[in-house]
Amino acid sequence: MLKTNENIPVRNIYYMLSYAYQALSLSEYQKVDVEKFHNTKDLYTEILKIGVPVLIRGGLLKDYVRISEKTTVIRGKIDINASIKQNALVDKKLMVLHDDFSEDILLNQIIKATLILICRSLSTSRDNKKFFFGLLPFFNNVSDIELDATLWKRVHYNRQNIRYQFIIDICRYLYEELLLGTSLGKHDSKQIQDEQRFSSLYEKFVFAFYKRETGFIVTHPQIPWKVDNGFTEALPIMQTDIVLSDQNKTLIIDTKFYSENMATKFAGSNAKQKSANLYQLFTYVNNWHKREDEEVGGMLLYAKTTAKEQPNHHYEINGNRISVVTLDMNQKFEKIKNELLMHAESFFKTEQRKGGVSIPETK
């Protein structure tokens, strides 16, 4: 079964975050002493302890928020239907709609709710509770909300709010650790949550690693379907995780963070590739609109599990090279780095390392 979050070294979680979010390269985060943390919850808490005051010093983000209120002062747009339904005219008032430039936006609401969650958590130290409680007055103009997993799906980033992305994602990771991680009783359910918790980070890490540490062109485009009649309605979107390109070679990488990376029908039977994952990658490769001289390959890059049999297979299918390999996240980071470079170089057969690129140092 997969090494769960408790078994992935906290230092490696930090490295994954370092690549996935360049924010960790800022001087404020250099004080993070990774070695003192025994679990990811404490690491996330420390990052928020540094990052939220940075956001506050830069000024909490404001945006126009639609306000509906009962008032005698006409401002904005009169809501006649709401006025009638709420009997506002009895009090000689009207329901009006207007836009207010306010800090009471979803991003700030998520941060405030996370600070409250930390303060209420029994596992939070007294000093940390005192620290985070002291930050709450800066969010007095922000509404209280209940955190749930769907909130983050409503978040959209642009040039104005991109500085929030790292902290908002850390809030999500911490929420899952504090709430979901403790509320799930069954071991199997806990493993599923661990997979979901790290799959997105694992993908971001691998993408950012190749972006920073190699000379490849690194993208994650959608692949259009090759259809003969032009009809594409109801076809699923083919969204790639990572695409590496170099001259006339292109490698499509699909990252997978699962508790099992090979399938067996029953105990003792031979392990086979997971068909859905292989079909997905094969579809990506075959629908890639390649140039006349372009060589296209695919790679399933699983996080290595503790199972005895691990995928390490290289196929030639329909004229395309397809690899199914693993990355061992439970080792020193230098070896993780070398494995990632080796997997890419096995397809491109050339050295693609950049000199002088480094990740934030730890004490």
Side-chain angles (χ1 to χ4, degrees), residues 163-180:
R163 66 189 177 99
Y164 271 71
Q165 183 176 12
F166 178 53
I167 295 301
I168 293 298
D169 281 356
I170 292 296
C171 286
R172 175 166 63 90
Y173 298 146
L174 185 60
Y175 162 73
E176 292 169 345
E177 285 286 339
L178 288 176
L179 190 61
L180 299 181

Side-chain angles (χ1 to χ4, degrees), residues 11-12 37-38 45 57 62 64 66-67 86 106 118 129-130 149 213 256 260 264 276 281 301 325-326 336:
R11 173 181 283 273
N12 285 349
F37 302 117
H38 300 293
T45 301
R57 289 197 296 271
K62 294 184 178 182
Y64 286 100
R66 177 57 58 95
I67 304 295
Q86 298 192 26
L106 180 60
I118 294 173
K129 286 183 178 181
K130 182 178 179 180
E213 295 287 352
K256 301 295 182 185
E260 294 179 346
T264 54
L281 182 64
L301 183 59
V325 294
T326 62
I336 295 175

Side-chain angles (χ1 to χ4, degrees), residues 281-337:
L281 182 64
F282 187 65
T283 303
Y284 286 0
V285 171
N286 278 274
N287 280 273
W288 183 266
H289 290 254
K290 65 179 180 179
R291 303 182 306 272
E292 185 177 347
D293 63 340
E294 187 178 8
E295 179 184 348
V296 180
M299 178 185 295
L300 280 173
L301 183 59
Y302 288 97
K304 188 176 182 180
T305 71
T306 55
K308 182 178 179 180
E309 292 191 64
Q310 295 293 307
N312 183 23
H313 306 97
H314 305 272
Y315 308 101
E316 291 281 345
I317 305 176
N318 199 29
N320 302 115
R321 295 168 58 191
I322 305 292
S323 298
V324 185
V325 294
T326 62
L327 175 65
D328 185 357
M329 291 301 301
N330 199 20
Q331 59 180 332
K332 291 184 178 180
F333 191 78
E334 190 62 30
K335 292 185 177 180
I336 295 175
K337 176 178 177 179

Side-chain angles (χ1 to χ4, degrees), residues 77-95:
K77 178 183 177 182
I78 299 175
D79 191 339
I80 298 297
N81 291 333
S83 298
I84 295 173
K85 289 179 180 179
Q86 298 192 26
N87 294 322
L89 297 177
V90 176
D91 300 326
K92 297 181 180 181
K93 295 181 180 181
L94 290 170
M95 294 298 299

